[in-house]
Amino acid sequence: MAIAIRKFDAVIVGAGGAGMRAALQLAEAGFKVAVVSKVFPTRSHTVAAQGGIGAALGNMGEDSWLWHMYDTIKGSDYLGDQDAIEFMCRMAPQVVLELEHFGMPFDRNDNGTVYQRPFGGHSQNFGERPVQRSCCAADRTGHAMLHTLYQRNVRANTHFFVEWMALDLVRDAAGHVLGVTALEMETGEIYLMQARATLFATGGAGRIFAASTNAFINTGDGLGMAARAGIPLEDMEFWQFHPTGVAGAGVLITEGVRGEGGYLLNRNGERFMERYAPTMKDLASRDVVSRAMATEIKEGRGCGPEADHVLLKLDHLGVEVVEKRLPGIREIARKFANVDPVKQPIPVVPTAHYQMGGIPTNYHGEVVAPRSGNPEAVVPGFYAAGECACASVHGANRLGTNSLTDLLVFGKASGERMAQFLRENPEHRDLPSDAADRTLMRLDRLESQRNGESVHQVGADMRRTMQAHCGVFRFPDLLVEGVRKILEIAERAQRTEIKDHSKVFNTARTEALELDNLIEVARATMISAEARKESRGAHDREDFAKRDDENWLKHTLWFKDDDRLEYKPVHLKPLTAATFEPKVRTY
Amino acid sequence: MHFRIYRYDPDKDAQPRMQDYQVDLEASDRMLLDALVRIKSMDDSLALRRSCREGVCGSDAMNINGKNGLACITRLSDLKEPVEIRPLPGLPVIRDLIVDMSQFFKQYHSIKPYLVNNDPAPEKERLQTPAEREELDGLYECILCACCSTACPSFWWNPDKFVGPAGLLQAYRFLADTRDQATSERLDNLEDPYRLFRCHSIMNCVDVCPKGLNPTKAIGKIKDLLVRRTA
């Protein structure tokens, strides 16, 4: 079957913060760029970010990119690459100010500058005391940022392919990336989007878990596509459980609540974070707070009839502060927890939130993979940015606000790098004759499958398995059994059957194709987690309770072929600063 | 719980129809979207848009018992049975609950929804007092779900000529921004019997906005600016 080919200079998959920031860079430089997105750009999951963007503007008191860098490295439990982290923290003020110039409605101080709030793990003078570094628009920062970036792209005439789902990466025999295949959802037609440079900005895959703060669309499409095309996935064992998801609903309550002065209570009314993190208390990094909460619950000090959550108290902040700084939280708490937080505390539990790992890149956004002895050889024509990428700036645990910083910094950096590549490589490479074969086979399989299982059933089993076997605390027997179960579910995922065979906006088909991607992420996560015999950041093992720098200060690489694992060194050498040597982490 | 849902697949249906679903809900199903997802797990042919499931992405706008709203923040306990669900009114239906939003976005794009400031960018931020920034509250929070515009009779009759409440709310969002320099071009763009003045203050938009925003008020403020300009 011949499929239609559309030719561009660059194709960007995903129209969240990273994709749109990169698109802007390319569109404004005059390149013909196509942005392919499953959803209208402002529906991308960046929209749900609440608390702010981390950048050492110093508007609220002394701050420096070096302190931000230290906090990020410490937050990463020393697994982050220090060159990439230096790059991000140095660039952060510039990209935030650019966003302000684009029209971002940041909150303001009396002197007219951008308001910044305290956030978990961000400190002054290398951990001395909390610092106000999070640049925010109330508790709707992601929404304001995503709309601002979309608006700026409207101005730049960026070409969006809205409700198009990318299906597979196209590579030639030499390994060059030449674009993607994509499904136009409204018509059911398949296209080959040919490009000289391809960027994945497809976001996370939190939907591998049963309870997640993530949107339905967060199905790890970029990771699935990369894995099927032979690209490894890095550090997939590291998943952030956000301390404050609404109990039962999973909806996110920003850390900004604690930044503005809220705190956590156990069933005895005790502010327990004082015991776990004497200096930073409720503003310790997320892995630390989530573990503390899970420990309180495990030891019987949880709240409610089932003692299965803790309480987030903010009524002491007063209606005025809540209405001004946290209006969205009040709305969410009323809707999803049936409490008005200006009067009652919000029941919260640690909830799967963010994937620290992803497609391996360097700090220019170029995808790197092992080749002939070089663990980080550039994959020509291929770029990744944002949550789907692993630069690695978040290491084993991301600090709050650094996700939006990551999107802006690496969205822009990859856009610039792609522009340079496009200038140096003016010709399209020839498409191999089998360019669309993998996609066509997948679609063919799905259309012709009979007596298969429903996508819903297989997906539910995957989510339950991930939740039960790969949560905040990880146990050796559960991990081993989890690997066995996930491989079994992955087998079943190859025989899913859909009843709906319509050409028009067939969401049964897109959900089946999404499951193909989720399952790769689940496999990578479980297998990488079982193999890492230490506790670091968000990866906490009962049988190896301590961080082990001697054996495990290294990045995991998972390959889909045979579920093979390789490891590569952490970049301990920053670009200009002195190395921050790993040390014991206390908050 | 009993649901009656609009179904139409142009690939196989000659006519739209209403389909009844009787669903056993679980305790965790609190919002309408939870129920729709459960229905979809039994009948995978039901097509709808959804994403964030917390009322910020604007995907799952639909007509629920006669009123536009977001399925993800509509409580099941507040709904009368049978719960009748239709696509947003006034826009072409692609399939089931999915409408073609091209016209809606075309109107949004027509108001130049981006900050215009031709001065060279300063080294730091453009300053804005908290009071000036407050002018944007109630405007920037729009999620482009189209509940308002598709509840507006003026938009139903003239979707190609009337900007509609969502677009006009955003037009005012930029007019109200002290950093924006295109006030007079923006007003020129709207001074037209249709683009702005088809609004007859019916206020359906205010009634349905799931974010509690007030497009009618913003439209009034644009009209004030126009009056002041000619005075």
Side-chain angles (χ1 to χ4, degrees), chain A residues 26 87 100 147-148 172 188 255 274 286 300 319 428 534 580:
Chain A
L26 289 163
F87 181 78
E100 194 283 326
H147 280 252
T148 302
D172 65 13
E255 191 169 293
E274 291 177 337
R286 289 180 180 169
V319 183
H428 281 273
E534 67 159 350
F580 289 100

Side-chain angles (χ1 to χ4, degrees), chain A residues 37-102:
Chain A
S37 175
K38 286 198 287 193
V39 294
F40 185 78
T42 62
R43 322 250 187 257
S44 306
H45 193 54
T46 303
V47 79
Q50 298 172 352
I53 315 170
L57 297 180
N59 285 354
M60 322 299 292
E62 200 187 349
D63 199 3
S64 86
W65 65 261
L66 191 66
W67 295 346
H68 187 189
M69 177 181 171
Y70 167 80
D71 292 337
T72 302
I73 293 168
K74 178 181 172 187
S76 83
D77 217 348
Y78 299 91
L79 191 69
D81 285 332
Q82 299 197 11
D83 51 350
I85 294 174
E86 176 177 336
F87 181 78
M88 181 178 80
C89 297
R90 288 178 75 135
M91 293 297 293
Q94 187 195 324
V95 292
V96 165
L97 292 172
E98 273 170 7
L99 192 62
E100 194 283 326
H101 299 153
F102 295 166

